[in-house]
Every structure is written in C-alpha cells, then in structure tokens.
Amino acid sequence: MQTTAPIGTHASLTQWVNEVATLTQPDQIVWCTGSEAEQRALTEQLVQSGEFRPLNPTHYPNSYWYKSDPKDVARTEHLTFVCTERREDAGPNNVWMAPAEAKTKMAGLFAGCMKGRTMYVIPYCMGPLQSPLSRYGVEITDSAYVVLNMRIMTRMGTGALERINREGQCVRGLHSTGELDPERRFIMHYPHEHLIMSFGSGYGGNALLGKKCHALRIASYQGREEGWLAEHMLLLGLTSPEGQRHYVAAAFPSACGKTNLAMLLPPESMPGWTMTTIGDDIAWLQPGADGRLWAINPEAGYFGVAPGTTLKTNRNAFKMIKGNTIFTNVALTDNNEPWWEGMDGKPALDWQGRPAGEHGPYAHPNARFTVAATHNPSYGPEAEDPHGVPLSAIIFGGRRASLAPLVYEALDWNHGVLVGASVASETTAAITGQVGVLRRDPMAMKPFCGYHFGDYWQHWFNIGQKLTRPPKVFHVNWFRQNAQGKFLWPGFGDNLRVLEWMIKRIDQRIEAHATPIGLMPKAADLNRTGLTLDDSVLTELLAVDTDAWKQELTVLENDLVPYADRLPPQMRHQLDALRARLQG
Ligand code: GTP
Ligand code: SPV
Ligand code: MN
C-alpha cells in the first residue's frame, strides 16, 4: 500500500486524484498495488471492524461473510443515469440527466464525504493485460470491500497502472458509499468523458465500477465509436466428442443463467464433451481481419448469484467457492459456513445475521459470491489469450414461462439482430423492484447500454456487415413452465443437449425445420439419451403458436415505438419479414 502516487504516475491521473481528494477530504490516500500483502491487510482491517466475518477455515479457507445494508442489495436502475449532452442520445432506454446538472449534484454529495475515511485509488485493466482489446480504468473509492472485490474481478494494481501511464488515458470512476440512503444515491455516467460517478451504494454493479458501469455502459459507447461491441454475455468453449472446438457467447438478462451455462457440466449420458469457461457475465466482441467475430472476457472473476448453486445444479461453481471467496448476503450455518436456498437443512442465521426464523428466504435472493476465475475447475486458459476467441455462435435468451420455445435459430445475422432486440424476460432479484414481471430486455442490455438503443441496433447491423464468417445466432428459453408452474426442461447440465444441436447446425451436419420465427430442431435431432422427457413435453417445448407469436409481434412493435425515430431501416425490414412469415 502506498500513500503517495507511485513514481511515473501520469500527470493527468495525479491531478484528478488530487482534485478528488480536495473535494472529498479523506484522512489518507492509498494507491492500490494489488499485492497479496495489501489484500491481507485490507481483509484484516475489515475483520477487525466487524464488516467481514471469517468463515469456517476448514471448509471455506480464506473466505469471508459480508452483509449489505438492507436498502442496498441490488442494482438500482431508476437511480442510474446516462448523462449525454443531448437527452435524445441517451435514448428512451436510459434515465437521463444533463451533465452540468449531474455534476453539480454529485459535487454536493461528494463534498467532504471521505472525512475520517481512507480514499483508495484502484488502477485496473479490463481484459488480459497485454491484449489490444483491453481497456484501462481507475476507480477511486472509500470502501475497502470494493477494493477487495475489484482485486478479484479485474486485473488490478501495478501492471494496470504501468499501462495507464504509458497510454495516458483511462476510464475514471469515482465512488463513495455515502450513507447508503436511496434518496441520496446516484450512479452517473458521462460517456463522452469516459467518466463515472457513483454515490450512496456499496453493492455490486453500483459500486464495483469496472463491471457494469465501465465494461458495459461506458464500453458500449466506446465500442460504437471504435467499431466493437460490449455485451452482457458469457463466453464458453466447447469440444465435441469428434474433437471440434467451438466458442459460444450467450446473452441472458441478470439472474437468468449465464454463470450456470458458462460452467455447465456435461451429463454422464453425454460422454466425450468438454466445456470450459471463458467468462460468465461480460464479453467484448470485435470483428477480426479473418471476417470472424472475436471475443474477450474483460473480467478476471465472477460475482455470481449464490442461491440455487448446488452440487447438483452447478458442481463447478460449488467447488470453486470452497475457499478464497467473499460471500455477500448469504445465510450462515451453526458451523459458520455459508448457506442459501437450494442447500439442505436450515441455516442458523439469516443474511442479516439474525437468528433464522420460521420462514425463509434466509439468504437474500440476490446473495452473491466473488471469486477469481482461475479457481473455477472448468476455467479455460483462453481467457488470457490477448487475441480472444473466435465465436461460432451467439445465443440470446430470457426467462419466459410461455411462448418462447426451447430453442430456435435465426435465419442470418440481420434476423439475429431482431431476435436479440426482441428478448423479453421475467424480472429477477438482481434489480430493485418487482420480481416476475415480463419486460423487454433487448440483447439483455436494457440496464447496460450507454446510448440510444436505436443507434445500438444500427451498430449491430454495421458489425454484421464486417463479418464474412459471422457466428450463427440462436434463441433459447430454459424456463418454459407447465400449467402447474413446473419447469418443462431440466436445464443446467442438460442444456448441453441444446448446445449439441447448435454445434451440429454450425458444422452443417443436420437439417433444421423451418418455422415462421426461425429454424428449429426436428424432435429426433435433439439428443435425449439418458434423459426422461416425454414426447409430449418435447413437442410442447418445440411448439410455435403462430397466433400467440402474431400477438407477441404486435407487443414488440409497440415496445419499439419509443425508438421509432432512430429505428434502423433494416430492423423495420426484419419486422415486416417476420410479420409476412407469420401470416404466410
Ligand atoms: P447475473 O450475474 O445477474 O448477470 O446472472 P446470470 O445470468 O449469471 O444468472 P445465474 O447463472 O447466476 O442464474 C440465476 C438463477 O437461475 C439461479 O438461481 C440458477 O439456479 C437459475 N438457473 C440457471 N440456469 C438454469 C436452468 O437451466 N434452468 C433453471 N430452471 N434455472 C436455472
Ligand atoms: C447483474 O445484475 O447482471 C449482475 C450483478 O451481474 S451486478 O454486478 O450487481 O450488476
Ligand atoms: Mn450480469
């Protein structure tokens, strides 16, 4: 830990840090190096203050329990702003505030807010340190918890600072937990300045500014200027029994299965398949000179949903978090081990540390683990490849009890853009607000696109034009339910059956069945070896109800009305073509 700027620090960075210190008036400034000694010291500090509780050292070595303020347990989208000069550039998909007004407001909140506290300066790199696709940032925060999370989630410290000094520019993020008062909470983005200001929350995407604020909102804006895409996608590598290797990206809304699919364990009845995780939440995509789309995971760790993570559903994740993990808002057993819904028995304490009462949930539904990607048993070393990985497929999906079938394939890239734009999903605990309400979440980016969705879709069409070997685009839905509210599809490891069908399509080994919404598996082509799934259930999973889809298209067109002034002509064309196919 260093209390003065390291020798060689770029003058513009020192100047900004000094300006922030003058405004926030911390007792001391610490420049984070990312060293293990620094990590140990900060951890010890949080244990001493009572914010961290060390977990059972036998079963969860070097792991800690942390609880949030009950008013601060998820991202708060209504308090998240995109501050472009012109309101229309932020688009109807964002909450907007004029940059000057936002800055005045934030200056008022940040004034003197670090009195009696330590200000941490965190240089970080999003992506492999040596990759031309990587981008740099500096987060200033008054939270040691944020520092420890950022150390896991990003390449943080000296190496990143060296790159920043050389390049002389980076994304700047200023964060203070403030009083955790939602009335005094704002997460501001100034995309044209590559600047973030976040006040009043210590939670995940609101506070770990490298994640959603930088790697999605600011990066999506940069990507549009520079010809690449920043997406809410997992990345995985898949090797078939025949030895063919494919890379797949998938965009699902928050808490809809990215971490789980990224760590999928092949079922025993599908020998010969191997699966590796490249990323579980964010991917940056760039057309390569070879006409393929290349992807990196800008993150170095996972901030994953804990509830539902079990040996049965996600063995890799379950093993990965047995040590060196920060647990946020989980319950605790009497053996001082983390507990959440899906595990056996009952905990002793709930996520707030109170004796567990009669009724759950005992862990917060958005309880999370933070752990380094390298602890994942299925970690794919390509995550460090500076070139990234070439994509064979992009998958979109959402949580839909009805309508959307298990899987369908887009006719081509441009149709795929419509498929992505039409993603809708029932809301989850990952955001503050009502759970289970169907909302349109185009490309799973509704909360994360740093500019007007109309311009964003145009950018997607433009990227497609640069690809001579584009990935195939698919849509999946693991969450179809029967009349009794039971999931029709087993999900988790068995999702490999759907990936297998996709790989066969990509390798041109099988024909598909054409429907108005896209190409679908013939029932016999979906591998059901070792799986008990009635023909009737499969038929239901693969059914396309044309009348219901006509209604869906009407609803979709209605949802697109706010974007009409910037709706790409190609999107209009795709909508008309879909209507024609449904009527044909
Ligand atoms: P964020 O980190 O919020 O972006 O979420 P994510 O997309 O990574 O979601 P995650 O994989 O953590 O899954 C969230 C919830 O969905 C967990 O409770 C899982 O148990 C559940 N889930 C994941 N995959 C499946 C599936 O295939 N079927 C069913 N029924 N549930 C699933
Ligand atoms: C999400 O909500 O999509 C997450 C968690 O991945 S957070 O980092 O809080 O955004
Ligand atoms: Mn996410």
Side-chain angles (χ1 to χ4, degrees), residues 143-178:
S143 161
Y145 167 81
V146 166
V147 177
L148 289 171
N149 276 276
M150 284 289 283
R151 185 173 184 273
I152 296 173
M153 296 305 297
T154 71
R155 281 100 172 154
M156 180 262 255
T158 308
L161 184 59
E162 280 165 9
R163 286 293 303 255
I164 292 167
N165 293 339
R166 231 178 304 153
E167 303 201 355
Q169 57 177 5
C170 67
V171 171
R172 289 170 300 155
L174 171 56
H175 168 256
S176 171
T177 49

Side-chain angles (χ1 to χ4, degrees), residues 73-75 77 153 203-206 208 211-212 216-217 232 252-255 258-259 280-282 299 303-305 366 368 428-431 447-448:
V73 292
R75 283 182 296 100
E77 294 180 2
M153 296 305 297
Y203 192 83
N206 289 340
L208 314 177
K211 198 171 178 51
K212 298 301 170 38
L216 287 178
R217 297 195 192 92
H232 193 201
F252 309 149
S254 301
K258 289 184 298 302
T259 302
D280 84 323
D281 196 48
I282 300 178
E299 301 192 282
F303 183 62
V305 176
N366 194 33
R368 301 244 170 191
T428 64
I431 47 164
F448 308 121

Side-chain angles (χ1 to χ4, degrees), residues 269-290:
S269 49
M270 291 180 75
W273 287 90
T274 53
M275 220 291 306
T276 55
T277 315
I278 319 288
D280 84 323
D281 196 48
I282 300 178
W284 288 354
L285 319 177
Q286 192 160 89
D290 61 356

Side-chain angles (χ1 to χ4, degrees), residues 156-421:
M156 180 262 255
T158 308
L161 184 59
E162 280 165 9
R163 286 293 303 255
I164 292 167
N165 293 339
R166 231 178 304 153
E167 303 201 355
Q169 57 177 5
C170 67
V171 171
R172 289 170 300 155
L174 171 56
H175 168 256
S176 171
T177 49
E179 311 86 32
L180 303 176
D181 175 1
E183 298 297 317
R184 283 162 56 81
R185 179 180 302 162
F186 295 95
I187 299 102
M188 302 286 194
H189 302 75
Y190 310 87
H192 53 296
E193 291 181 74
H194 299 173
L195 178 66
I196 305 153
M197 291 183 184
S198 168
F199 189 91
S201 168
Y203 192 83
N206 289 340
L208 314 177
L209 302 187
K211 198 171 178 51
K212 298 301 170 38
C213 299
H214 176 167
L216 287 178
R217 297 195 192 92
I218 301 289
S220 61
Y221 184 93
Q222 279 181 303
R224 181 180 172 226
E225 288 178 331
E226 299 170 7
W228 49 282
L229 290 164
E231 298 297 327
H232 193 201
M233 289 178 177
L234 67 88
L235 286 173
L236 61 81
L238 201 55
T239 308
S240 69
E242 296 78 26
Q244 298 278 62
R245 184 117 181 107
H246 287 285
Y247 295 98
V248 174
F252 309 149
S254 301
C256 289
K258 289 184 298 302
T259 302
N260 279 272
L261 188 65
M263 296 182 188
L264 171 149
L265 199 73
E268 274 172 23
S269 49
M270 291 180 75
W273 287 90
T274 53
M275 220 291 306
T276 55
T277 315
I278 319 288
D280 84 323
D281 196 48
I282 300 178
W284 288 354
L285 319 177
Q286 192 160 89
D290 61 356
R292 290 190 289 179
L293 189 59
W294 291 73
I296 62 163
N297 169 17
E299 301 192 282
Y302 312 127
F303 183 62
V305 176
T309 307
T310 64
L311 266 181
K312 214 169 136 231
T313 57
N314 191 345
R315 193 164 93 199
N316 284 323
F318 201 76
K319 287 190 172 164
M320 154 179 94
I321 55 184
K322 292 256 172 182
N324 309 298
T325 302
I326 300 171
F327 293 92
T328 299
N329 299 338
V330 301
L332 283 171
T333 67
D334 52 12
N335 200 20
N336 206 31
E337 296 186 11
W339 188 98
W340 46 78
E341 274 61 30
M343 286 187 180
D344 293 337
K346 209 187 123 172
L349 302 177
D350 72 6
W351 64 280
Q352 280 291 290
R354 297 169 298 211
E358 192 92 6
H359 302 290
Y362 301 112
H364 189 278
N366 194 33
R368 301 244 170 191
F369 53 76
T370 321
V371 64
T374 45
H375 289 301
N376 176 2
S378 66
Y379 171 75
E382 301 98 314
E384 280 298 328
D385 190 331
H387 305 290
V389 295
L391 293 182
S392 300
I394 288 179
I395 306 172
F396 292 110
R399 192 182 271 273
R400 294 198 73 160
S402 59
L403 188 77
L406 180 63
V407 58
Y408 64 97
E409 177 188 323
L411 303 175
D412 55 20
W413 176 272
N414 285 350
H415 177 223
V417 178
L418 172 64
V419 169

